[in-house]
């Protein structure tokens, strides 16, 4: 399979990042860190006036929760319903990436448009939550997110390396990482959990029964597909399948994105003290919330 045009574009971005000093790799906008080769203040400002259609689909995730996995499923579902291949124009789909001029191109995209964002829901375009557009919100248990994010930081030339896991853990706990605090991200979405146009899914639920997860997403979007098509999309979205084709799809970014795709990998890095610290943080921030319950913290985050 030939390398996709998106793969060639992301390779160029990676090459540009490799020439930057660590302190040049990040920008701060309204107190939140973002990768400088992907984000700029002008794009964030343009987001405020983005026009939203009622049939738009938004995938909202904190980094390293399985974003590309679910985006792949959404793309395949849309292709199946339209009975045509939907171009993977990811450089247009990720809300906060790129230059503000991209929004003119976005206006011309045919429906249904698929968008992805890592932004806290308080920072996404106000029109998204004020419309009937579908919003799929993906979460993953915080311990696996922290470990995956640490590996991502140190494999990704677009982000500065962190000297040790211990240093990164403290940055993660205090929200001193790109896109800020995991816990603030969940608390913000918890306020919207009961809205009809919002669906919450978790990484762990999808791993336990991928065909069922694909079917639920299809039903949420109002897509009616035969069981064999649902099964085919699930098989195509298996970690091994996506990993094997990652370099054709994502270029040099493929091996950076796809590492293990496992549940429970946190046990290989967390110390007992770190585990207890995050347990206490979860208890403080999320215990008693509906989203906190959905994460099944005791099942996935306790020794």
């Amino acid at each position: 399979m030939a390398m996709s045009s998106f793969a060639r574009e992301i390779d160029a971005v990676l090459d540009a990042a490799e020439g930057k000093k660590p302190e040049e790799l990040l920008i701060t906008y309204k107190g939140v860190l973002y990768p400088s080769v992907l984000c700029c203040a002008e794009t964030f400002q343009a987001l405020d006036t983005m026009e939203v259609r009622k049939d738009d689909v938004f995938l909202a995730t904190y980094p390293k929760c399985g974003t590309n996995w679910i985006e792949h499923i959404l793309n395949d579902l849309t292709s199946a319903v339209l009975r045509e291949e939907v171009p993977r124009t990811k450089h247009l789909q990720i809300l906060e990436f790129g230059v503000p001029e991209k929004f003119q191109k976005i206006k011309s995209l045919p429906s249904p448009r698929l968008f992805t964002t890592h932004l806290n829901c308080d920072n996404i375009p106000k029109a998204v939550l004020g419309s009937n557009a579908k919003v799929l919100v993906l979460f993953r248990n915080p311990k696996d997110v922290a470990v995956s994010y640490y590996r991502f930081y140190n494999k990704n030339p677009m982000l500065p390396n962190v000297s040790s896991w211990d240093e990164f853990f403290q940055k993660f706990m205090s929200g001193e990482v790109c896109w800020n605090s995991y816990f603030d991200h969940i608390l913000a979405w918890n306020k919207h959990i009961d809205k009809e146009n919002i669906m919450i899914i978790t990484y762990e639920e999808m791993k336990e029964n991928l065909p069922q997860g694909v079917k639920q997403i299809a039903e949420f979007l109002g897509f009616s597909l035969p069981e064999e098509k649902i099964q085919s999309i699930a098989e195509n979205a298996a970690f091994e399948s996506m990993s094997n084709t990652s370099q054709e799809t994502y270029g040099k970014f493929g091996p950076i994105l796809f590492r293990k795709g496992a549940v429970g990998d946190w046990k290989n890095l967390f110390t007992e003290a770190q585990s207890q610290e995050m347990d206490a943080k979860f208890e403080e921030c999320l215990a008693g919330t509906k989203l906190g319950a959905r994460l099944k913290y005791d099942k996935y985050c306790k020794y």
Side-chain angles (χ1 to χ4, degrees):
M1 182 186 295
M3 184 183 291
S4 69
S5 60
F6 172 73
R8 290 191 292 271
E9 290 177 26
I10 201 66
D11 277 1
V13 173
L14 290 172
D15 290 342
E18 288 177 350
K20 290 183 176 290
K21 299 176 182 178
E23 62 271 20
E24 297 174 329
L25 290 172
L26 300 177
I27 63 166
T28 302
Y29 184 75
K30 293 187 176 179
V32 180
L33 290 171
Y34 301 99
S36 64
V37 295
L38 296 173
C39 302
C40 67
E42 293 77 13
T43 297
F44 286 117
Q45 292 160 6
L47 266 177
D48 293 337
T49 57
M50 176 183 166
E51 295 178 3
V52 177
R53 300 174 190 166
K54 63 181 180 180
D55 54 1
D56 284 340
V57 177
F58 292 85
L59 171 62
T61 74
Y62 187 80
K64 305 314 296 176
C65 286
T67 311
N68 288 278
W69 186 28
I70 305 304
E71 188 179 55
H72 180 91
I73 290 170
L74 287 173
N75 221 90
D76 281 358
L77 284 170
T78 305
S79 293
V81 170
L82 297 179
R83 297 184 179 180
E84 62 183 52
E85 186 64 29
V86 177
R88 294 183 183 279
T89 50
K90 295 174 185 285
H91 56 298
L92 293 178
Q93 287 183 317
I94 303 177
L95 288 181
E96 59 267 36
F97 288 3
V99 294
E101 290 76 17
K102 74 175 188 174
F103 291 106
Q104 290 302 317
K105 296 179 181 178
I106 284 175
K107 286 182 180 180
S108 66
L109 288 176
S111 295
R113 301 182 301 183
L114 306 178
F115 297 102
T116 303
T117 185
H118 292 316
L119 293 172
N120 183 300
C121 75
D122 293 334
N123 297 327
I124 64 175
K126 293 180 176 58
V128 175
L129 295 178
S131 70
N132 291 321
K134 300 289 188 179
V135 184
L136 189 63
V137 188
L138 171 67
F139 290 108
R140 186 182 188 184
N141 83 73
K143 291 182 179 178
D144 277 340
V145 170
V147 168
S148 183
Y149 211 0
Y150 167 61
R151 304 290 194 197
F152 188 68
Y153 252 74
N154 280 354
K155 290 170 64 181
N156 187 350
M158 291 185 282
L159 297 173
N161 283 355
V162 183
S163 62
S164 68
W165 158 246
D166 290 345
E167 179 190 351
F168 185 84
F169 174 78
Q170 291 306 322
K171 287 180 178 293
F172 183 86
M173 294 298 289
S174 60
E176 297 176 72
V177 292
C178 286
W179 287 277
N180 215 342
S181 166
Y182 167 96
F183 297 95
D184 288 351
H185 191 93
I186 285 197
L187 282 170
W189 279 109
N190 190 68
K191 295 181 293 186
H192 304 281
I193 191 172
D194 293 323
K195 292 186 176 179
E196 289 185 2
N197 66 318
I198 293 178
M199 177 183 181
I200 306 295
I201 59 173
T202 71
Y203 185 94
E204 291 77 18
E205 289 169 347
M206 296 295 289
K207 289 290 285 188
E208 285 181 2
N209 192 335
L210 187 52
Q212 179 63 21
V214 172
K215 183 177 181 180
Q216 289 174 343
I217 293 171
E219 291 173 348
F220 170 67
L221 298 178
F223 295 168
S224 180
L225 293 170
E227 288 294 330
E228 57 268 24
K229 189 61 183 178
I230 294 291
Q231 186 65 38
S232 173
I233 290 173
E235 290 172 0
N236 195 35
F239 180 83
E240 294 78 9
S241 176
M242 292 187 65
S243 181
N244 289 340
T245 60
S246 64
Q247 288 190 279
E248 290 86 3
T249 308
Y250 299 96
K252 290 187 289 188
F253 202 50
I256 297 170
L257 281 176
F258 297 93
R259 192 176 67 89
K260 283 188 176 181
V263 175
D265 190 43
W266 65 269
K267 296 177 183 178
N268 294 315
L269 273 186
F270 270 71
T271 64
E272 182 65 33
Q274 288 167 344
S275 181
Q276 292 175 358
E277 183 177 342
M278 188 168 282
D279 292 350
K281 182 77 170 180
F282 183 89
E283 186 69 23
E284 173 193 348
C285 296
L286 298 172
T289 66
K290 289 184 177 181
L291 264 178
R294 284 292 303 275
L295 288 173
K296 298 180 181 178
Y297 190 88
D298 286 348
K299 179 177 180 179
Y300 296 112
C301 293
K302 296 292 182 70
Y303 280 108

